[in-house]
Amino acid sequence: MSSHDKDHVERVVKIAEYIAKKEGADLKIVLKAAELHDIARSQADHASKSAEIARNILKKEGYSKEFIEKVAHAIEAHSFSKRIKPRTLEAKVLSDADKIDAIGATGVARAFLYSGEHGRSIEETLKHFEEKLLKLKDLIYTETGRKIAESRHKFLTDFYNRLKTELEFKDLEVEK
């Protein structure tokens, strides 16, 4: 089990499918992009490498050059750290779905899985919340994605605040 395993991909596919249907995006492009978005996750610059691998797979499967490039763009633009602005609705949908899976209760669980995988402390994980996770809600592109992100962001914020309170021992009652 890992923070970016097949379960993450399956959740992103489900979230992306839901958003795509609500927003009127091309479902075929969204689903292929979601399925392949982290195929090179273990490599540096995974988004570019995943797009490259997706191009090769889709070419072998006989998809049109236009379809392949739309899928590849969505994959390249999904990454938080790459800062590539999605140019299509389909790319926005994938970006939103991936971000939504990084917040809420699922996001908290994934953050701590990732921290365990990389030997990060609780304090370092809180820094990750501050540098990335707590910012994701404001980077959502679609109206449907924003609606989903609102409640997940609230949970994430509540958890973050509670954990900080406990780590600072501000929740302890002092006996007189």
Side-chain angles (χ1 to χ4, degrees), residues 72-135:
H73 168 66
I75 293 170
E76 289 169 333
H78 91 274
S79 174
F80 173 82
S81 56
K82 288 271 302 179
R83 302 268 195 241
I84 294 175
K85 189 161 178 69
R87 296 185 309 266
T88 64
L89 177 57
E90 293 73 23
K92 290 174 182 176
V93 168
L94 176 59
S95 177
D96 286 0
D98 194 54
K99 286 175 179 68
I100 287 167
D101 195 55
I103 59 178
T106 305
V108 168
R110 287 184 59 218
F112 283 96
L113 270 174
Y114 185 88
S115 291
E117 293 163 6
H118 294 89
R120 288 197 309 204
S121 68
I122 292 174
E123 290 78 8
E124 289 169 320
T125 305
L126 282 176
K127 187 173 182 189
H128 177 66
F129 276 59
E130 295 160 3
E131 292 174 348
K132 180 180 181 181
L133 302 182
L134 293 169
K135 296 177 181 179

Side-chain angles (χ1 to χ4, degrees), residues 55-66:
R55 282 184 181 97
N56 292 331
I57 290 170
L58 296 175
K59 186 177 182 182
K60 286 178 187 170
E61 291 179 358
Y63 287 93
S64 73
K65 185 172 173 72
E66 180 184 359

